[in-house]
Amino acid sequence: MSVTFLNPGKSDEIYWVTAANSMTAAAGSLGIKLEVLYAERDHLKPLEFARQIAARPAATRPDYVVLTNDYGMGPEVVRILDAASIKTFFAYSGITKPSERDIVGHPRQIHKHWLGSLEPMAEEAGYVTAGKLIERGRAEKWMAADGKLHLLAIAGDRSTTTSYKRTEGMRRAVAEAKDVVLDQVVYGEWSRVKAQEQSVWLYQRYPQTRLVWTGSDLMAFGAMESWRARGGKPGYDASFSAINTSSEALAAVESGSLTALSGGHFIAGAFSLVMLYDYHHGKDFIKEGLELERSMFILFTPEEARRFEGMFGDMNFSRVDFKKFSKVLNPAVKKYNFSFRQLLENK
């Protein structure tokens, strides 16, 4: 059984390297031949990869291609691969926009070889991290002159489903909190440098703000750097949140400079391989749904951050037995459990 993963990230980008490493571990556990192709954040690269894969001799094509829908490239990639009778599966981000749905429909309809998708509940990550920030702001009594807490948000990008949902989760937490004002949302494009530059003028424009929500760890670090540059101390006179599980982010949770960190969703690709393994061996996931969105994130405590570092700090997930999640290999498994916590607790 062979799978190619069209990785949208850079080959030195910690999140996407971690995602690929966990998939490599799952592939090794399940006896899958895995190929990882990095798009290096070039949104046209997946189309190029798809054409190259479709042009390969039939005997050398992968059985399955796992892809993301970053920058809305998914529908065209699926179309190219479907024409070559190559099965596809979305992991991390799937089809959500009506305009995309009009093109591809639903799995196994217009494109018979598009099998389905598995997405982490990205909205959940945005919601819980914002909630933790607000909780801290209330405890510290960081209200401005108007009696309300003020929050700034540095989101990822305007087009990726994951980014949109994380930001919507943050907005939901703010809407539920009647004592919080969302001053402004900017888009840092997942960049530490850009978030650092943006936050400099954001702090000048909104001097009353003490809560800074970000859509990723790198953007949080950029915002924290500019806070320090103006004499502030992250975690003490302002609170910052992030999403992802880089060593730097986990260390920041342990030190207290980062108030809220949600992560674990990088495992979506590995669990996608479990689903495809079962499908390949005659156990279709259709009964659970073709487009699954499941809870995978956890909100890290300092103790959980230390445990993660101890278990997976080297980004090696080979100690995880992914075979135990398979329905084919474990008939007692009636429903997939995609929670990251079970890996952290080593159950």
Side-chain angles (χ1 to χ4, degrees), residues 217-274:
D217 50 352
L218 292 179
M219 294 188 295
F221 301 145
M224 291 161 76
E225 282 165 14
S226 60
W227 187 261
R228 290 190 182 99
R230 68 200 302 271
K233 193 174 182 184
Y236 293 90
D237 53 7
S239 278
F240 296 79
S241 75
I243 299 169
N244 288 342
T245 48
S246 64
S247 292
E248 190 175 356
L250 294 161
V253 171
E254 292 179 52
S255 70
S257 58
L258 198 56
T259 296
L261 177 68
S262 186
H265 57 300
F266 64 80
I267 208 72
F271 282 134
S272 295
L273 292 185
V274 172

CSV table of all heavy atoms in Angstrom, one decimal, residues 217-274:
chain,number,residue,atom,x,y,z
A,217,ASP,N,2.0,29.5,16.8
A,217,ASP,CA,3.1,29.8,17.7
A,217,ASP,C,4.1,30.8,17.1
A,217,ASP,O,4.5,31.7,17.9
A,217,ASP,CB,3.9,28.5,18.1
A,217,ASP,CG,4.3,27.6,16.9
A,217,ASP,OD1,3.9,27.9,15.8
A,217,ASP,OD2,5.0,26.6,17.1
A,218,LEU,N,4.5,30.7,15.8
A,218,LEU,CA,5.4,31.6,15.3
A,218,LEU,C,5.0,33.1,15.4
A,218,LEU,O,5.7,34.0,15.7
A,218,LEU,CB,5.8,31.3,13.8
A,218,LEU,CG,6.5,29.9,13.6
A,218,LEU,CD1,6.7,29.7,12.1
A,218,LEU,CD2,7.9,30.0,14.3
A,219,MET,N,3.7,33.3,15.1
A,219,MET,CA,3.1,34.6,15.2
A,219,MET,C,3.1,35.1,16.6
A,219,MET,O,3.3,36.3,16.9
A,219,MET,CB,1.8,34.7,14.5
A,219,MET,CG,1.8,34.4,13.0
A,219,MET,SD,0.3,34.7,12.1
A,219,MET,CE,-0.8,33.5,12.8
A,220,ALA,N,2.9,34.2,17.5
A,220,ALA,CA,2.9,34.6,18.9
A,220,ALA,C,4.3,35.1,19.4
A,220,ALA,O,4.4,36.1,20.1
A,220,ALA,CB,2.4,33.4,19.8
A,221,PHE,N,5.3,34.4,18.9
A,221,PHE,CA,6.7,34.7,19.3
A,221,PHE,C,7.0,36.1,18.7
A,221,PHE,O,7.7,36.9,19.4
A,221,PHE,CB,7.7,33.7,18.7
A,221,PHE,CG,7.4,32.3,19.3
A,221,PHE,CD1,7.7,31.2,18.5
A,221,PHE,CD2,6.9,32.1,20.5
A,221,PHE,CE1,7.4,29.9,18.9
A,221,PHE,CE2,6.7,30.8,21.0
A,221,PHE,CZ,7.0,29.7,20.2
A,222,GLY,N,6.5,36.4,17.5
A,222,GLY,CA,6.8,37.7,16.9
A,222,GLY,C,6.1,38.8,17.7
A,222,GLY,O,6.7,39.9,18.0
A,223,ALA,N,4.9,38.6,18.1
A,223,ALA,CA,4.2,39.6,19.0
A,223,ALA,C,4.8,39.7,20.3
A,223,ALA,O,4.8,40.8,20.9
A,223,ALA,CB,2.7,39.1,19.1
A,224,MET,N,5.3,38.6,20.9
A,224,MET,CA,6.0,38.7,22.2
A,224,MET,C,7.3,39.5,22.1
A,224,MET,O,7.7,40.2,23.0
A,224,MET,CB,6.2,37.3,22.7
A,224,MET,CG,4.9,36.6,23.1
A,224,MET,SD,5.1,34.8,23.2
A,224,MET,CE,5.9,34.6,24.8
A,225,GLU,N,8.0,39.3,21.0
A,225,GLU,CA,9.3,40.0,20.8
A,225,GLU,C,9.1,41.5,20.8
A,225,GLU,O,9.9,42.2,21.4
A,225,GLU,CB,9.9,39.5,19.5
A,225,GLU,CG,10.6,38.2,19.6
A,225,GLU,CD,10.9,37.6,18.2
A,225,GLU,OE1,10.9,38.3,17.2
A,225,GLU,OE2,11.2,36.4,18.2
A,226,SER,N,8.1,42.0,20.1
A,226,SER,CA,7.9,43.4,20.0
A,226,SER,C,7.3,43.9,21.4
A,226,SER,O,7.5,45.1,21.7
A,226,SER,CB,6.9,43.8,18.9
A,226,SER,OG,5.7,43.2,19.0
A,227,TRP,N,6.6,43.1,22.1
A,227,TRP,CA,6.2,43.5,23.5
A,227,TRP,C,7.4,43.7,24.4
A,227,TRP,O,7.5,44.6,25.1
A,227,TRP,CB,5.2,42.5,24.1
A,227,TRP,CG,4.6,42.9,25.4
A,227,TRP,CD1,5.0,42.5,26.6
A,227,TRP,CD2,3.5,43.8,25.5
A,227,TRP,NE1,4.2,43.1,27.6
A,227,TRP,CE2,3.3,43.9,26.9
A,227,TRP,CE3,2.7,44.5,24.7
A,227,TRP,CZ2,2.3,44.7,27.4
A,227,TRP,CZ3,1.7,45.3,25.2
A,227,TRP,CH2,1.5,45.4,26.6
A,228,ARG,N,8.4,42.7,24.3
A,228,ARG,CA,9.6,42.9,25.1
A,228,ARG,C,10.4,44.1,24.7
A,228,ARG,O,11.0,44.8,25.5
A,228,ARG,CB,10.5,41.6,24.9
A,228,ARG,CG,9.9,40.4,25.6
A,228,ARG,CD,10.9,39.2,25.6
A,228,ARG,NE,10.3,38.0,26.1
A,228,ARG,CZ,9.9,37.0,25.4
A,228,ARG,NH1,9.9,37.1,24.1
A,228,ARG,NH2,9.4,35.9,26.0
A,229,ALA,N,10.4,44.4,23.4
A,229,ALA,CA,11.2,45.5,22.9
A,229,ALA,C,10.7,46.8,23.4
A,229,ALA,O,11.5,47.8,23.5
A,229,ALA,CB,11.1,45.5,21.3
A,230,ARG,N,9.4,46.9,23.8
A,230,ARG,CA,8.9,48.1,24.4
A,230,ARG,C,8.9,48.1,25.9
A,230,ARG,O,8.3,49.0,26.6
A,230,ARG,CB,7.4,48.4,23.8
A,230,ARG,CG,6.4,47.4,24.3
A,230,ARG,CD,5.2,47.4,23.5
A,230,ARG,NE,4.5,48.6,23.3
A,230,ARG,CZ,3.5,49.1,24.2
A,230,ARG,NH1,3.2,48.4,25.2
A,230,ARG,NH2,3.0,50.2,24.0
A,231,GLY,N,9.6,47.1,26.5
A,231,GLY,CA,9.8,47.1,27.9
A,231,GLY,C,8.9,46.2,28.6
A,231,GLY,O,8.9,46.1,29.9
A,232,GLY,N,8.0,45.5,27.9
A,232,GLY,CA,7.0,44.6,28.6
A,232,GLY,C,7.6,43.2,28.9
A,232,GLY,O,8.7,42.8,28.4
A,233,LYS,N,6.8,42.4,29.6
A,233,LYS,CA,7.2,41.1,30.0
A,233,LYS,C,6.0,40.1,29.8
A,233,LYS,O,5.1,40.0,30.6
A,233,LYS,CB,7.6,41.0,31.5
A,233,LYS,CG,8.3,39.8,31.9
A,233,LYS,CD,8.8,39.8,33.3
A,233,LYS,CE,9.6,38.6,33.7
A,233,LYS,NZ,10.0,38.5,35.1
A,234,PRO,N,6.0,39.4,28.6
A,234,PRO,CA,5.0,38.5,28.3
A,234,PRO,C,4.7,37.5,29.4
A,234,PRO,O,5.6,36.9,30.0
A,234,PRO,CB,5.5,37.8,27.1
A,234,PRO,CG,6.4,38.7,26.4
A,234,PRO,CD,7.1,39.4,27.6
A,235,GLY,N,3.4,37.4,29.7
A,235,GLY,CA,3.0,36.5,30.8
A,235,GLY,C,2.8,37.1,32.1
A,235,GLY,O,2.2,36.6,33.0
A,236,TYR,N,3.3,38.4,32.2
A,236,TYR,CA,3.2,39.1,33.5
A,236,TYR,C,2.5,40.4,33.4
A,236,TYR,O,1.6,40.7,34.2
A,236,TYR,CB,4.7,39.4,34.0
A,236,TYR,CG,5.3,38.1,34.4
A,236,TYR,CD1,6.1,37.4,33.5
A,236,TYR,CD2,5.2,37.5,35.7
A,236,TYR,CE1,6.7,36.2,33.8
A,236,TYR,CE2,5.8,36.3,36.0
A,236,TYR,CZ,6.5,35.6,35.1
A,236,TYR,OH,7.1,34.5,35.4
A,237,ASP,N,2.8,41.2,32.3
A,237,ASP,CA,2.0,42.4,32.2
A,237,ASP,C,1.1,42.4,30.9
A,237,ASP,O,0.5,43.3,30.5
A,237,ASP,CB,2.9,43.7,32.1
A,237,ASP,CG,4.0,43.6,31.1
A,237,ASP,OD1,4.1,42.6,30.4
A,237,ASP,OD2,4.9,44.4,31.1
A,238,ALA,N,1.1,41.2,30.2
A,238,ALA,CA,0.2,41.0,29.1
A,238,ALA,C,0.2,39.5,28.8
A,238,ALA,O,1.2,38.8,29.2
A,238,ALA,CB,0.8,41.7,27.8
A,239,SER,N,-0.9,39.0,28.3
A,239,SER,CA,-1.0,37.6,28.0
A,239,SER,C,-1.1,37.3,26.5
A,239,SER,O,-1.8,38.0,25.8
A,239,SER,CB,-2.3,37.0,28.7
A,239,SER,OG,-2.1,36.8,30.1
A,240,PHE,N,-0.5,36.2,26.1
A,240,PHE,CA,-0.4,35.8,24.7
A,240,PHE,C,-0.9,34.3,24.6
A,240,PHE,O,-0.6,33.5,25.5
A,240,PHE,CB,1.0,35.9,24.2
A,240,PHE,CG,1.6,37.3,24.2
A,240,PHE,CD1,2.0,37.9,25.4
A,240,PHE,CD2,1.6,38.0,23.0
A,240,PHE,CE1,2.5,39.2,25.4
A,240,PHE,CE2,2.1,39.3,23.0
A,240,PHE,CZ,2.5,39.9,24.2
A,241,SER,N,-1.5,34.0,23.5
A,241,SER,CA,-1.9,32.7,23.2
A,241,SER,C,-1.3,32.2,21.9
A,241,SER,O,-0.9,33.0,21.0
A,241,SER,CB,-3.4,32.5,23.2
A,241,SER,OG,-3.9,33.1,22.0
A,242,ALA,N,-1.3,30.9,21.7
A,242,ALA,CA,-0.7,30.3,20.5
A,242,ALA,C,-1.3,28.9,20.2
A,242,ALA,O,-2.0,28.3,21.0
A,242,ALA,CB,0.8,30.2,20.5
A,243,ILE,N,-1.1,28.5,19.0
A,243,ILE,CA,-1.5,27.1,18.5
A,243,ILE,C,-0.3,26.5,17.9
A,243,ILE,O,0.3,27.1,17.1
A,243,ILE,CB,-2.7,27.2,17.6
A,243,ILE,CG1,-3.9,27.9,18.3
A,243,ILE,CG2,-3.1,25.9,17.1
A,243,ILE,CD1,-5.1,28.3,17.4
A,244,ASN,N,-0.1,25.2,18.2
A,244,ASN,CA,1.0,24.3,17.7
A,244,ASN,C,1.8,23.8,18.8
A,244,ASN,O,1.7,24.3,20.0
A,244,ASN,CB,1.9,25.0,16.6
A,244,ASN,CG,1.1,25.2,15.3
A,244,ASN,OD1,0.1,24.5,15.1
A,244,ASN,ND2,1.6,26.0,14.4
A,245,THR,N,2.8,22.9,18.5
A,245,THR,CA,3.5,22.3,19.6
A,245,THR,C,5.0,22.3,19.3
A,245,THR,O,5.7,21.3,19.5
A,245,THR,CB,3.1,20.8,19.7
A,245,THR,OG1,3.0,20.2,18.4
A,245,THR,CG2,1.7,20.7,20.3
A,246,SER,N,5.6,23.4,18.9
A,246,SER,CA,7.0,23.5,18.8
A,246,SER,C,7.6,23.5,20.2
A,246,SER,O,7.0,23.8,21.2
A,246,SER,CB,7.4,24.8,18.1
A,246,SER,OG,7.0,26.0,18.9
A,247,SER,N,8.9,23.1,20.2
A,247,SER,CA,9.6,23.1,21.5
A,247,SER,C,9.6,24.5,22.2
A,247,SER,O,9.5,24.6,23.4
A,247,SER,CB,11.1,22.6,21.3
A,247,SER,OG,11.1,21.3,20.9
A,248,GLU,N,9.8,25.5,21.4
A,248,GLU,CA,9.8,26.9,21.9
A,248,GLU,C,8.4,27.3,22.5
A,248,GLU,O,8.4,27.9,23.6
A,248,GLU,CB,10.1,27.9,20.8
A,248,GLU,CG,10.4,29.3,21.2
A,248,GLU,CD,10.8,30.2,20.1
A,248,GLU,OE1,11.0,29.8,19.0
A,248,GLU,OE2,11.0,31.4,20.4
A,249,ALA,N,7.4,26.8,21.9
A,249,ALA,CA,6.0,27.1,22.4
A,249,ALA,C,5.8,26.3,23.7
A,249,ALA,O,5.3,26.9,24.7
A,249,ALA,CB,5.0,26.7,21.4
A,250,LEU,N,6.2,25.1,23.8
A,250,LEU,CA,6.0,24.3,25.0
A,250,LEU,C,6.8,24.9,26.1
A,250,LEU,O,6.4,24.9,27.3
A,250,LEU,CB,6.4,22.8,24.7
A,250,LEU,CG,5.5,22.1,23.7
A,250,LEU,CD1,6.2,20.9,23.1
A,250,LEU,CD2,4.2,21.7,24.4
A,251,ALA,N,8.1,25.3,25.8
A,251,ALA,CA,8.9,25.9,26.8
A,251,ALA,C,8.3,27.2,27.4
A,251,ALA,O,8.4,27.5,28.5
A,251,ALA,CB,10.3,26.2,26.3
A,252,ALA,N,7.7,27.9,26.5
A,252,ALA,CA,7.0,29.2,26.9
A,252,ALA,C,5.8,29.0,27.8
A,252,ALA,O,5.6,29.8,28.7
A,252,ALA,CB,6.6,30.0,25.6
A,253,VAL,N,5.1,27.9,27.6
A,253,VAL,CA,4.0,27.5,28.5
A,253,VAL,C,4.6,27.2,29.9
A,253,VAL,O,4.1,27.6,30.9
A,253,VAL,CB,3.2,26.3,28.0
A,253,VAL,CG1,2.3,25.8,29.0
A,253,VAL,CG2,2.5,26.7,26.7
A,254,GLU,N,5.7,26.4,29.9
A,254,GLU,CA,6.3,26.0,31.1
A,254,GLU,C,6.9,27.2,31.9
A,254,GLU,O,6.7,27.3,33.1
A,254,GLU,CB,7.5,25.0,30.9
A,254,GLU,CG,7.0,23.7,30.3
A,254,GLU,CD,8.2,22.7,30.1
A,254,GLU,OE1,9.0,22.6,31.0
A,254,GLU,OE2,8.3,22.2,28.9
A,255,SER,N,7.4,28.2,31.2
A,255,SER,CA,8.0,29.4,31.8
A,255,SER,C,6.9,30.4,32.2
A,255,SER,O,7.1,31.3,33.1
A,255,SER,CB,9.0,30.1,30.9
A,255,SER,OG,8.3,30.7,29.8
A,256,GLY,N,5.7,30.3,31.6
A,256,GLY,CA,4.6,31.2,31.9
A,256,GLY,C,4.5,32.4,31.0
A,256,GLY,O,3.6,33.2,31.1
A,257,SER,N,5.5,32.5,30.1
A,257,SER,CA,5.4,33.7,29.1
A,257,SER,C,4.2,33.5,28.1
A,257,SER,O,3.7,34.5,27.6
A,257,SER,CB,6.7,33.9,28.4
A,257,SER,OG,7.1,32.7,27.7
A,258,LEU,N,3.9,32.3,27.9
A,258,LEU,CA,2.7,32.0,27.0
A,258,LEU,C,1.6,31.5,27.9
A,258,LEU,O,1.7,30.5,28.6
A,258,LEU,CB,3.1,30.9,26.0
A,258,LEU,CG,2.2,30.7,24.7
A,258,LEU,CD1,2.1,32.0,24.0
A,258,LEU,CD2,2.8,29.7,23.8
A,259,THR,N,0.5,32.2,27.9
A,259,THR,CA,-0.6,31.9,28.8
A,259,THR,C,-1.5,30.7,28.3
A,259,THR,O,-1.9,29.9,29.1
A,259,THR,CB,-1.6,33.1,28.9
A,259,THR,OG1,-0.8,34.1,29.6
A,259,THR,CG2,-2.8,32.8,29.7
A,260,ALA,N,-1.7,30.6,27.0
A,260,ALA,CA,-2.5,29.5,26.4
A,260,ALA,C,-1.9,28.9,25.2
A,260,ALA,O,-1.5,29.7,24.3
A,260,ALA,CB,-3.9,30.1,26.1
A,261,LEU,N,-1.8,27.6,25.1
A,261,LEU,CA,-1.3,26.9,24.0
A,261,LEU,C,-2.1,25.7,23.7
A,261,LEU,O,-2.3,24.8,24.5
A,261,LEU,CB,0.2,26.4,24.2
A,261,LEU,CG,0.8,25.6,23.1
A,261,LEU,CD1,1.0,26.5,21.8
A,261,LEU,CD2,2.1,25.0,23.5
A,262,SER,N,-2.6,25.6,22.5
A,262,SER,CA,-3.4,24.5,22.0
A,262,SER,C,-2.7,23.8,20.9
A,262,SER,O,-2.1,24.4,20.0
A,262,SER,CB,-4.8,24.9,21.6
A,262,SER,OG,-5.6,23.8,21.3
A,263,GLY,N,-2.7,22.5,20.9
A,263,GLY,CA,-2.0,21.7,19.8
A,263,GLY,C,-2.3,20.3,19.9
A,263,GLY,O,-3.2,19.8,20.7
A,264,GLY,N,-1.6,19.5,19.0
A,264,GLY,CA,-1.9,18.1,18.9
A,264,GLY,C,-2.5,17.7,17.6
A,264,GLY,O,-2.5,16.5,17.2
A,265,HIS,N,-3.0,18.7,16.9
A,265,HIS,CA,-3.8,18.4,15.7
A,265,HIS,C,-2.9,18.0,14.5
A,265,HIS,O,-3.4,17.5,13.5
A,265,HIS,CB,-4.5,19.7,15.2
A,265,HIS,CG,-3.7,20.9,15.1
A,265,HIS,ND1,-2.9,21.4,16.1
A,265,HIS,CD2,-3.4,21.7,14.0
A,265,HIS,CE1,-2.2,22.5,15.6
A,265,HIS,NE2,-2.5,22.6,14.4
A,266,PHE,N,-1.5,18.1,14.7
A,266,PHE,CA,-0.6,17.6,13.6
A,266,PHE,C,-0.8,16.1,13.4
A,266,PHE,O,-0.4,15.6,12.4
A,266,PHE,CB,0.8,17.9,14.0
A,266,PHE,CG,1.3,17.1,15.2
A,266,PHE,CD1,1.6,15.8,15.2
A,266,PHE,CD2,1.3,17.8,16.5
A,266,PHE,CE1,2.1,15.1,16.3
A,266,PHE,CE2,1.7,17.1,17.6
A,266,PHE,CZ,2.1,15.8,17.5
A,267,ILE,N,-1.5,15.4,14.3
A,267,ILE,CA,-1.7,14.0,14.2
A,267,ILE,C,-2.8,13.6,13.2
A,267,ILE,O,-3.0,12.4,12.9
A,267,ILE,CB,-2.1,13.5,15.6
A,267,ILE,CG1,-1.6,12.0,15.8
A,267,ILE,CG2,-3.5,13.6,15.9
A,267,ILE,CD1,-0.1,11.8,15.9
A,268,ALA,N,-3.5,14.6,12.6
A,268,ALA,CA,-4.6,14.3,11.7
A,268,ALA,C,-4.1,13.5,10.5
A,268,ALA,O,-4.8,12.6,10.0
A,268,ALA,CB,-5.2,15.6,11.2
A,269,GLY,N,-2.9,13.8,10.0
A,269,GLY,CA,-2.3,13.0,8.9
A,269,GLY,C,-2.1,11.6,9.2
A,269,GLY,O,-2.4,10.7,8.4
A,270,ALA,N,-1.6,11.3,10.4
A,270,ALA,CA,-1.3,10.0,10.9
A,270,ALA,C,-2.6,9.2,11.0
A,270,ALA,O,-2.7,8.0,10.6
A,270,ALA,CB,-0.6,10.0,12.2
A,271,PHE,N,-3.6,9.8,11.6
A,271,PHE,CA,-4.9,9.1,11.7
A,271,PHE,C,-5.6,8.9,10.3
A,271,PHE,O,-6.3,8.0,10.1
A,271,PHE,CB,-5.8,9.9,12.6
A,271,PHE,CG,-5.5,9.7,14.1
A,271,PHE,CD1,-5.5,10.8,15.0
A,271,PHE,CD2,-5.3,8.4,14.6
A,271,PHE,CE1,-5.1,10.6,16.3
A,271,PHE,CE2,-5.0,8.2,15.9
A,271,PHE,CZ,-4.9,9.3,16.8
A,272,SER,N,-5.3,9.8,9.4
A,272,SER,CA,-5.8,9.6,8.0
A,272,SER,C,-5.2,8.3,7.4
A,272,SER,O,-6.0,7.6,6.7
A,272,SER,CB,-5.4,10.8,7.1
A,272,SER,OG,-6.1,12.0,7.6
A,273,LEU,N,-4.0,8.1,7.7
A,273,LEU,CA,-3.4,6.8,7.2
A,273,LEU,C,-4.0,5.6,7.8
A,273,LEU,O,-4.2,4.6,7.1
A,273,LEU,CB,-1.9,6.8,7.5
A,273,LEU,CG,-1.0,7.9,6.7
A,273,LEU,CD1,0.5,7.7,7.0
A,273,LEU,CD2,-1.2,7.8,5.2
A,274,VAL,N,-4.4,5.7,9.1
A,274,VAL,CA,-5.1,4.6,9.7
A,274,VAL,C,-6.4,4.3,9.0
A,274,VAL,O,-6.8,3.2,8.7
A,274,VAL,CB,-5.4,4.9,11.2
A,274,VAL,CG1,-6.3,3.8,11.8
A,274,VAL,CG2,-4.1,5.0,12.0
